[in-house]
């Protein structure tokens, strides 16, 4: 017998939330059920063959109710009798065709019911649905109705909120809003057609409903809890023998059969239904298909509202057809994933089998043995040169590697450690070049000038040759940008025949980049020096440490302090990297550092380096560099031939003086590249115009060659040529201008044709002809000439103008010399009178001067008053005059201890009403007693003076040796005076007229 498990028997699995089918039974299955059973491949079991108790579950894959994604099911116990089947439902005379528990009065007698909102899916007749009731008043009313033997209510689907997309799942927020709906608002949100539901179980706030029949709301009876008046709906009459209805129903069954082939979930649904369902008619078939489909709630509601059985079947058919498409997509996705997984598993298994076979045959060892063999193989060539303490560490790590499991994290750490230890070039050195002449040639090939750097490298080679072995040094090249500090490093490595490695420390703030990480950290790596040795493969490379004056400092330590060990000749023989944790010999490494400003390097680090200053290039040097290096490299990079372009010396000189006054040549290289790019574009445009005539010319020549190589007589060939000439001319004239047509048109003489027929053409003649044609096209392209007249067309307007503001220096104005990071420059110091009166002597300073220059101005004011009192005792200019001293340009910060003598000269020039000698520039700091102190940047300031056409320079006597070390071409044409006391400057700058008169 069939027995529904209610609250008095076995509990229904209420934690699942999808609608569940109410199962019924009958003594004889209908013919419709038999057809469905035969189509699905399942047979209805004989009740006599069933065991005493049998459990059946009906599941649905659709998600409904408050539970979310669960799958609801109904458990049915079937107990078989001796002769017939009894249904225990509480009434012995109840019909066996219905599995719905009857009540008294009958369901159709309920015309006023409590309204339960369904948020996700409608409830179909004959199906279970668990819902959660959050309203305490509504829950109390349901419990009261069940106690009064009237366990019925109305289940109505809730309409979507206005301006919302019904396809978007809103989750718990929408359910929370549903709980807030009361009375009229809830009534307006309910669909009119719903289901009369029987309350079977109430557990807490969960209520289990069974659908009975369709209802339609007529009006609201009460608001809290919401009670509505309803009409009971019946299906419209239909003819069971109607062929259209039968065909539609069989199509639904056929579609269900197709779905069963792809979905095991549906197969379980139908199997359970065919075993235990009772009256399986056309309306129930339509409700069954719609209820278990994954259609949206609006589509299910449309099926629920449809009373025409034929139309309901059609709607259900559409929903089931969609399920077929979804099942196919699901099957294709599952198949693709299964193929991918099975392929990977198959490959893995085959690899494991291959490893096992090779191991059994002795062809391959396991991973740990192979790794150990690889590491030992690396050590064999230089095993005698490896230090003993390093070999001991390697042997210990190899033994440790054999004891570790390959899957452990420690195994990977040990393997990486051994990889680094065995990859370093222990005791392996490259053969150095001790040929001074060869090194000199290589250095001159790559760089022009830089005599100091080249001499130092040649000295290094000479010492190595005399000692018979290589050595390591730390050299620092300092100078403005673009003078060749970085590029000279590669040339030095090539001249020494050493490996080259460069790394920049600009902005570096992590000590681990120099010293390496501890091995305990994830992703730990050695420092830059260990990486360098592994990359170059030798223990004596040339390492270029770029931008050492721009080291950073952060929370990870001070890299400048970490470099102390690396760049100390006494310590780097036992350099200790945190990762390797074994001493490394770096004493043979040649370190070359680069910096723009040496003052930015910490003193302890600077003390370990040998500084070589690269001041910059004078105009003559820049012209040579541009002509011999930059122009040649740029021309090759642009694909331009030397005969196609010419840049005059005057154009190069104008380019350097008006556009590229920097100490380096990087900006000059950019301008030369700009010029050649424009030349390349110009040549290509000219070539395109000329090549446009080539196809017509080739066509004409091809016709002439056909005539020339023919086997007919000369006269016939001549006649053909004469006949074709007008046509060719006509063709040429139609596509070209008159002049081009005359060039292309060809009229060979008969004698020429005779000679051509005697000598057959071959590939060699064709090649020579092509070369001649190519040369003619090249000649046709005009040569591009770059001169001062058209330089503006290529690089624009000049950026720099003459640094000399005054042709004749006015009273109170003196030219000084300054040092900058970009090289030397000239600047004017101007002094003027503001007001005059007894006791108004004062000095105002402008020009964004630093503290040192402000102190120099005060010293200059005091010294100038003393000198004026000595020269003109009656002159009270400084005591009674308010002065203003300015250093253009105001936007540029200025500071330094070398402007004292220039300021004194400017003050005295104004006080004595005498202009300073023209073409004169000076530099030097003055004490209160008038003594001149030495200054720095002699070469930079000398170059700045030459750029400004200065003829006479005043330097402190202490800088005579610095000036004498300059190259002759730098000093050429300059009248340089070295002074110890300001009185000498006064005689040269202001008292020069009296001296000339004397």
């Amino acid at each position: 017998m069939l027995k529904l498990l209610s609250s008095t028997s076995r509990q229904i699995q209420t934690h699942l939330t999808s609608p569940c089918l109410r199962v019924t039974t009958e003594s004889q299955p209908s013919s419709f059920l038999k057809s469905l059973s035969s189509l699905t491949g399942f047979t209805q079991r004989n009740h006599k063959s069933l065991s005493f108790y049998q459990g059946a579950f009906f599941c649905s894959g659709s998600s409904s109710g408050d539970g979310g994604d669960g799958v609801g099911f109904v458990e049915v116990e079937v107990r078989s009798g001796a002769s017939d089947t009894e249904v225990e439902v509480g009434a012995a005379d109840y019909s066996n065709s219905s599995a719905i528990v009857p009540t008294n009065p009958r369901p159709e007698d309920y015309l006023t019911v409590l309204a339960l909102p369904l948020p996700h899916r409608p409830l179909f007749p004959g199906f279970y649905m668990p819902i959660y009731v959050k309203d305490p008043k509504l829950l109390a009313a349901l419990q009261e109705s069940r106690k009064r033997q009237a366990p019925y209510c109305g289940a109505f689907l809730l309409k979507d909120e206005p301006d919302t997309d019904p396809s978007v799942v809103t989750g718990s927020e929408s359910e929370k809003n549903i709980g807030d709906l009361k009375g009229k608002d809830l009534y307006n949100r309910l669909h009119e057609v719903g289901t009369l539901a029987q309350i079977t179980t109430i557990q807490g706030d969960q209520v289990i409903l069974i659908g009975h029949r369709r209802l339609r709301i007529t009006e609201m009876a009460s608001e809290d809890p919401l009670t509505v008046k309803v009409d009971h709906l019946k299906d419209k009459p239909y003819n069971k023998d109607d062929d259209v209805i039968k065909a539609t129903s069989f199509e639904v069954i056929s579609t269900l059969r197709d779905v069963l082939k792809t979905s095991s979930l549906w197969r379980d649904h139908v199997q359970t239904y065919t075993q235990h369902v009772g009256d399986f008619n056309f309306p129930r078939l339509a409700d069954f298909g719609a209820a278990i489909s994954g259609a949206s709630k609006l589509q299910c509601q449309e099926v629920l509202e449809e009373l025409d059985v034929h139309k309901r079947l059609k709607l259900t058919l559409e929903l089931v057809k969609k399920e077929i498409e979804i099942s196919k997509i699901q099957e294709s996705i599952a198949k693709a994933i299964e193929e991918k997984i099975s392929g990977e598993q198959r490959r893995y298994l085959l690899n494991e089998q291959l490893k096992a076979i090779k191991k059994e045959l002795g062809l391959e060892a396991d991973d740990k043995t192979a790794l150990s063999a690889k590491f030992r193989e690396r050590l064999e060539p230089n095993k005698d040169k490896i230090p003993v303490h390093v070999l001991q560490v390697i042997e210990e790590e190899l033994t440790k590697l054999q004891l570790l499991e390959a899957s452990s994290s420690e195994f990977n750490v040990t393997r990486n450690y051994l990889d680094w230890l065995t990859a370093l070039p222990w005791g392996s050195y490259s053969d150095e070049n001790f040929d001074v002449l060869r090194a000199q040639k290589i250095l001159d090939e790559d760089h022009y000038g830089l005599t100091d750097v080249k001499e130092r490298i040649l000295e290094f080679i000479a010492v190595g040759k005399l000692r018979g072995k290589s050595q390591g040094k730390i050299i620092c090249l300092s100078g403005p940008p673009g003078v060749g500090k970085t590029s000279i490093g590669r040339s030095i490595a090539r001249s020494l025949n050493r490996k080259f490695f460069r790394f920049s420390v600009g902005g570096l703030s992590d000590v681990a980049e120099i010293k390496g990480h501890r091995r305990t950290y994830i992703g730990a790596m050695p420092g830059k020096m260990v990486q360098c040795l592994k990359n170059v493969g030798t223990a004596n490379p040339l390492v270029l440490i770029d931008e050492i004056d721009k080291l950073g400092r952060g929370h990870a330590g001070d890299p400048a302090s970490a470099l102390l060990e690396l760049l100390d000749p006494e310590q780097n023989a036992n350099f200790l990297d945190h990762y390797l944790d074994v001493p490394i010999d770096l004493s043979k490494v040649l370190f070359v550092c680069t910096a723009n400003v040496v003052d930015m390097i910490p003193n302890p680090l600077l003390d370990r380096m040998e500084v070589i200053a690269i001041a910059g290039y004078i105009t003559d040097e820049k012209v040579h560099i541009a002509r011999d290096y930059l122009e040649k490299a740029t021309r090759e990079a642009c694909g331009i031939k030397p005969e196609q372009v010419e840049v005059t010396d005057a154009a190069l000189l104008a380019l350097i003086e008006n556009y590229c006054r920097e100490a380096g040549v990087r900006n000059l290289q950019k301008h030369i590249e700009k010029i050649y790019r424009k030349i390349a574009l110009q040549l290509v445009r000219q070539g395109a115009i000329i090549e446009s005539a080539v196809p017509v010319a080739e066509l004409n020549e091809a016709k002439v060659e056909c005539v020339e190589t023919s086997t007919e007589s000369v006269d016939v060939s001549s006649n053909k040529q004469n006949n074709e000439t007008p046509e060719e001319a006509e063709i040429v004239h139609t596509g070209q201008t008159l002049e081009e047509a005359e060039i292309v048109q060809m009229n060979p003489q008969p004698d020429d044709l005779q000679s051509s027929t005697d000598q057959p053409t071959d590939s060699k003649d064709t090649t020579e002809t092509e070369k001649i044609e190519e040369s003619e096209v090249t000649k046709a392209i005009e040569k591009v000439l770059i001169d001062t007249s058209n330089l503006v067309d290529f690089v624009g307007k000049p950026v720099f103008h003459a640094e000399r503001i005054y042709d004749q220096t006015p009273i109170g104005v003196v030219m000084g010399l300054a040092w900058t990071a970009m090289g030397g420059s000239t600047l004017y110091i101007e002094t003027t009178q503001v007001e005059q009166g007894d006791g108004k002597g004062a000095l105002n300073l402008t020009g964004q001067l630093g503290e040192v220059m402000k102190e120099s101005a005060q010293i200059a004011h005091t010294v100038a008053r003393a000198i004026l009192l000595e020269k003109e005792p009656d002159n009270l200019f400084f005591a009674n005059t308010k002065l203003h001293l300015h250093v253009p340009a105001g936007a540029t910060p200025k500071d330094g201890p070398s402007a004292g003598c220039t300021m004194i000269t400017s003050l005295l020039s104004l006080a004595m009403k005498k202009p300073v000698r023209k073409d004169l520039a000076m530099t030097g700091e003055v004490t209160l007693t008038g003594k001149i102190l030495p200054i720095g940047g002699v070469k930079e300031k000398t170059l700045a003076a030459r750029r400004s056409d200065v003829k006479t320079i005043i330097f402190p006597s202490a800088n005579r040796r610095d000036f004498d070390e300059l190259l002759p071409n730098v000093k050429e044409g300059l009248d340089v005076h070295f002074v110890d006391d300001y009185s000498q400057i006064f005689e040269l700058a202001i008292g020069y007229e009296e001296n000339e008169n004397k």
Side-chain angles (χ1 to χ4, degrees):
M1 101 183 169
L2 291 176
K3 182 178 180 182
L4 284 171
L5 300 181
S6 61
S7 59
T8 59
S9 60
R10 182 173 298 181
Q11 299 294 334
I12 297 176
Q13 303 295 327
T14 58
H15 65 283
L16 302 175
T17 59
S18 291
C20 305
L21 180 64
R22 176 64 178 156
V23 181
T24 62
T25 185
E26 60 182 4
S27 59
Q28 295 294 332
S30 64
S31 59
F32 184 75
L33 178 60
K34 291 180 179 179
S35 63
L36 180 61
S37 300
S38 62
L39 289 172
T40 56
F42 301 108
T43 59
Q44 186 175 13
R45 299 182 183 179
N46 191 341
H47 294 288
K48 294 181 180 181
S49 64
L50 296 175
S51 62
F52 186 73
Y53 283 104
Q54 177 180 357
F57 299 86
F58 174 73
C59 306
S60 175
S62 61
S63 179
S64 62
D66 296 298
D69 298 331
V71 178
F73 62 87
V74 173
E75 183 174 348
V76 180
E77 291 188 359
V78 181
R79 187 171 60 192
S80 123
S83 61
D84 58 352
T85 304
E86 294 180 352
V87 181
E88 294 181 1
V89 293
D93 57 347
Y94 187 68
S95 173
N96 61 359
S97 64
S98 175
I100 305 299
V101 177
T103 58
N104 188 21
R106 295 176 301 174
E108 57 266 21
D109 296 336
Y110 287 89
L111 301 178
T112 303
V113 295
L114 292 170
L116 290 179
L118 304 179
H120 299 291
R121 290 175 66 87
L123 175 63
F124 282 89
F127 286 83
Y128 277 100
M129 177 179 286
I131 65 170
Y132 288 89
V133 179
K134 303 298 183 182
D135 188 357
K137 291 184 179 181
L138 180 58
L139 185 61
L142 292 173
Q143 292 174 344
E144 183 66 24
S145 298
R146 192 164 178 272
K147 290 179 181 179
R148 289 189 288 105
Q149 299 299 320
Y152 287 97
C153 63
F156 300 93
L157 181 65
L158 198 67
K159 297 179 181 178
D160 294 318
E161 294 182 11
D163 302 329
T164 58
D165 187 359
S167 62
V168 178
V169 179
T170 56
S172 59
E173 289 296 329
S174 64
E175 297 172 5
K176 183 178 179 181
N177 296 333
I178 292 171
D180 297 336
L181 294 175
K182 304 289 184 182
K184 190 68 174 178
D185 295 336
L186 180 59
Y187 176 78
N188 293 332
R189 289 283 301 277
L190 296 177
H191 282 274
E192 289 186 2
V193 178
T195 307
L196 180 67
Q198 179 180 340
I199 306 170
T200 62
T201 306
I202 299 178
Q203 292 183 346
D205 59 352
Q206 188 181 49
V207 180
I208 306 297
L209 304 177
I210 304 175
H212 274 255
R213 58 180 63 197
R214 288 169 169 79
L215 300 175
R216 176 179 280 115
I217 298 176
T218 57
E219 59 179 324
M220 183 174 62
S222 62
E223 293 190 1
D224 196 10
L226 181 61
T227 307
V228 295
K229 294 182 180 181
V230 295
D231 288 340
H232 291 260
L233 303 179
K234 295 183 179 180
D235 294 334
K236 293 181 181 179
Y238 66 93
N239 185 6
K240 295 183 180 180
D241 298 327
D242 189 352
D243 294 338
V244 177
I245 295 178
K246 286 183 178 181
T248 306
S249 63
F250 280 116
E251 180 62 24
V252 173
I253 295 173
S254 176
T255 307
L256 289 174
R257 182 188 61 185
D258 295 337
V259 174
L260 293 178
K261 296 178 181 179
T262 58
S263 176
S264 60
L265 182 63
W266 280 54
R267 191 180 302 121
D268 295 338
H269 295 174
V270 181
Q271 180 182 10
T272 304
Y273 193 86
T274 54
Q275 289 177 355
H276 304 289
V277 77
D279 188 8
F280 198 43
N281 51 24
F282 296 124
R284 292 296 299 274
L285 176 63
D287 291 344
F288 170 76
I292 67 174
S293 69
S296 65
K297 61 181 182 179
L298 295 180
Q299 292 173 328
C300 292
Q301 179 66 24
E302 186 180 0
V303 176
L304 183 66
E305 293 177 356
E306 184 58 59
L307 301 179
D308 190 312
V309 176
H310 179 229
K311 292 182 179 179
R312 192 189 303 170
L313 283 171
K314 290 177 63 178
L315 293 174
T316 301
L317 181 60
E318 293 179 3
L319 300 182
V320 179
K321 288 290 187 182
K322 290 181 181 178
E323 291 296 324
I324 289 182
E325 299 300 325
I326 295 174
S327 298
K328 291 180 179 178
I329 296 174
Q330 177 185 357
E331 183 182 9
S332 62
I333 294 174
K335 184 177 180 181
I337 295 176
E338 184 179 357
E339 289 178 354
K340 181 180 179 181
I341 295 176
S342 62
E344 293 176 354
Q345 291 177 344
R346 182 172 178 271
R347 189 179 299 109
Y348 175 76
L349 292 175
L350 290 176
N351 287 331
E352 291 298 323
Q353 292 175 1
L354 182 61
K355 290 180 181 178
I357 293 172
K358 287 184 176 181
K359 188 174 181 180
E360 289 295 330
L361 296 176
L363 300 178
E364 182 178 303
D366 57 0
D367 293 339
K368 292 190 289 186
T369 307
L371 283 174
S372 299
K374 182 182 74 171
F375 293 145
R376 294 185 185 278
E377 184 180 354
R378 286 183 183 177
L379 297 175
E380 285 302 324
N382 297 324
K383 193 170 184 179
D384 297 337
K385 301 178 182 179
I386 301 177
V388 178
H389 63 278
V390 177
L391 277 176
Q392 183 179 356
V393 173
I394 293 176
E395 290 296 336
E396 291 176 357
E397 293 297 323
L398 286 173
T399 305
K400 179 181 176 181
L401 187 70
Q402 293 295 328
L403 301 177
L404 293 173
E405 290 293 334
S407 59
S408 65
S409 59
E410 185 69 18
F411 179 84
N412 293 326
V413 173
T414 306
R415 182 185 61 186
N416 292 336
Y417 183 49
L418 283 169
D419 189 19
W420 280 101
L421 277 177
T422 56
L424 293 182
W426 301 101
S428 177
Y429 303 101
S430 59
D431 296 333
E432 281 201 79
N433 170 43
F434 293 119
D435 189 350
V436 177
L437 297 179
R438 177 176 175 273
Q440 177 77 48
K441 181 180 179 182
I442 293 174
L443 292 173
D444 291 339
E445 285 178 358
D446 297 339
H447 292 81
Y448 181 84
L450 301 180
T451 306
D452 296 340
V453 182
K454 294 178 180 179
E455 285 293 328
R456 182 64 187 87
I457 299 304
L458 295 178
E459 293 169 2
F460 178 83
I461 295 175
V463 172
K465 184 175 182 179
L466 294 177
R467 294 183 58 186
K469 61 180 180 178
S470 61
Q471 58 181 345
K473 282 292 180 182
I474 296 95
I475 300 173
C476 179
L477 305 178
S478 67
V483 296
K485 301 185 298 298
T486 303
S487 60
I488 192 67
R490 194 179 299 275
S491 297
I492 294 173
R494 192 161 68 93
S495 64
L496 296 175
N497 196 27
R498 290 195 179 197
K499 298 290 185 179
F500 178 77
F501 184 84
R502 172 192 172 274
F503 71 94
S504 176
V505 294
L508 187 69
S509 60
D510 191 359
V511 175
E513 292 291 330
I514 306 296
K515 300 276 289 181
H517 303 86
R518 302 288 181 184
R519 291 199 305 275
T520 54
Y521 298 132
I522 297 175
M525 289 186 64
K528 285 292 185 182
M529 276 311 304
V530 177
Q531 298 178 33
C532 160
L533 296 179
K534 181 181 178 181
N535 290 338
V536 299
T538 59
N540 63 335
L542 186 146
V543 179
L544 180 70
I545 304 177
D546 218 352
E547 310 293 349
I548 198 171
D549 59 328
K550 299 175 181 62
L551 278 170
R553 183 171 186 174
H555 67 279
D558 184 12
S561 300
L563 285 174
L564 293 177
E565 179 185 1
L566 180 65
L567 300 181
D568 191 344
E570 301 298 327
Q571 299 182 41
N572 60 12
N574 295 301
F575 177 75
L576 189 64
D577 186 89
H578 289 162
Y579 183 87
L580 294 184
D581 206 23
V582 292
I584 305 174
D585 184 11
L586 301 179
S587 59
K588 301 296 189 295
V589 178
L590 175 59
F591 292 97
V592 178
C593 307
T594 67
N596 295 125
V597 183
V598 179
D599 298 338
M600 301 295 292
I601 304 175
N603 288 331
L605 185 60
L606 184 63
D607 183 61
R608 287 164 167 78
M609 298 184 292
E610 179 182 352
V611 180
I612 300 177
I614 304 177
Y617 302 101
I618 62 175
T619 303
D620 295 341
E621 290 175 335
K622 285 187 177 181
V623 170
H624 281 92
I625 293 172
R627 183 69 73 188
D628 299 336
Y629 299 92
L630 302 182
E631 188 181 4
K632 179 181 178 181
T634 305
R635 186 169 56 238
E636 293 177 356
C638 295
I640 299 176
K641 299 178 180 179
E643 60 271 12
Q644 291 179 316
V645 62
E646 180 183 354
V647 181
T648 63
D649 293 338
L652 275 180
L653 187 62
L655 183 67
I656 294 169
E657 292 182 348
N658 299 333
Y659 298 87
C660 309
R661 286 189 181 180
E662 296 81 5
V665 294
R666 183 174 292 133
N667 194 33
L668 177 61
Q669 181 182 6
K670 293 178 182 178
H671 280 76
I672 292 176
E673 290 174 353
K674 185 176 182 180
I675 291 173
Y676 271 86
R677 285 197 304 268
K678 292 185 179 295
I679 292 174
L681 178 60
Q682 185 175 343
L683 293 175
V684 170
R685 284 176 174 171
Q686 292 181 4
I689 295 174
I690 294 176
E691 288 174 0
S692 61
V694 172
V696 179
E698 290 179 352
L699 176 64
N700 198 357
E701 291 173 0
K703 292 182 178 181
V704 173
E705 289 177 359
C706 290
V707 176
E708 290 175 350
T709 56
S710 63
T711 56
E712 296 180 1
S713 63
V714 177
D715 295 335
V716 176
S717 300
S718 302
N719 292 333
K720 286 186 178 182
Q721 179 64 27
N722 293 330
N723 293 334
E724 290 180 354
T725 300
E727 296 179 1
E728 294 169 7
E730 183 178 356
I731 294 174
V732 171
H733 280 294
T734 57
Q736 305 289 336
T737 61
L738 181 60
E739 296 177 359
E740 291 172 343
E742 291 175 355
I743 295 173
V744 174
Q745 186 176 353
M746 301 176 64
N747 294 310
Q749 298 297 325
D751 296 338
D752 298 333
L753 295 177
Q754 177 64 36
S755 62
S756 64
T757 54
D758 295 338
Q759 298 177 357
T761 60
D762 54 7
S763 59
K764 184 176 180 181
D765 296 337
T766 304
T767 305
E768 293 177 354
T769 304
E770 290 177 354
K771 290 182 179 179
I772 294 173
E773 291 177 355
E774 184 177 343
S775 62
E776 290 177 353
V777 172
T778 304
K779 290 180 181 178
I781 300 176
E782 295 182 0
K783 187 176 185 179
V784 180
L785 178 65
I786 307 298
D787 203 350
T788 54
S789 59
N790 62 351
L791 183 63
V792 178
D793 299 335
F794 291 90
V795 292
K797 295 181 179 180
V799 178
F800 297 101
H801 302 281
E803 290 188 4
R804 295 186 59 86
I805 304 176
Y806 309 102
D807 293 332
Q808 179 64 42
T809 307
I811 295 174
V813 178
V814 184
M815 179 184 289
L817 299 174
W819 177 92
T820 64
M822 299 293 293
S825 66
T826 59
L827 54 84
Y828 284 93
I829 294 181
E830 304 172 344
T831 306
T832 185
Q833 176 180 334
V834 179
E835 60 177 332
Q836 195 168 10
D838 293 340
K840 291 187 176 182
L843 179 64
N844 292 336
L845 303 176
T846 58
Q848 202 172 350
L849 306 181
E851 294 296 327
V852 177
M853 287 194 72
K854 289 179 180 179
E855 292 181 357
S856 297
Q858 296 297 332
I859 295 172
H861 190 240
T862 301
V863 175
R865 293 184 68 168
I867 294 176
L868 183 62
L869 183 62
E870 179 184 350
K871 299 291 182 182
E872 298 179 2
D874 298 332
N875 193 341
L876 302 178
F877 179 79
F878 290 111
N880 300 328
T881 306
K882 184 177 182 180
L883 302 176
H884 182 186
L885 188 146
H886 176 67
V887 183
T892 305
K894 309 169 191 69
D895 201 6
S898 62
C901 64
T902 312
M903 292 180 177
I904 295 174
T905 306
S906 175
L907 292 171
L908 290 176
S909 173
L910 181 64
M912 302 178 70
K913 301 294 188 297
K914 293 182 179 180
V916 178
R917 182 178 180 178
K918 66 177 182 179
D919 299 334
L920 172 69
M922 64 183 69
T923 180
E925 185 61 23
V926 183
T927 65
L928 284 175
T929 59
K931 295 297 182 182
I932 307 299
L933 300 179
I935 48 90
V938 173
K939 183 176 181 180
E940 289 87 348
K941 294 178 179 180
T942 305
L943 295 176
R946 290 182 61 89
R947 287 197 298 268
S948 299
D949 296 331
V950 173
K951 303 300 181 183
T952 304
I953 304 177
I954 298 177
F955 279 129
S957 297
N959 295 108
R960 180 186 295 272
R961 184 174 181 180
D962 298 331
F963 184 81
D964 292 340
E965 291 178 353
L966 298 179
L967 296 176
N969 57 352
V970 177
K971 301 181 289 184
E972 184 180 359
L974 293 177
D975 182 15
V976 182
H977 299 269
F978 299 96
V979 296
D980 297 318
D981 191 82
Y982 184 78
S983 59
Q984 298 172 285
I985 298 178
F986 180 83
E987 298 297 332
L988 292 171
I990 300 176
Y992 67 95
E993 293 182 352
E994 298 178 0
N995 295 333
E996 289 177 357
N997 293 333
K998 292 180 181 180

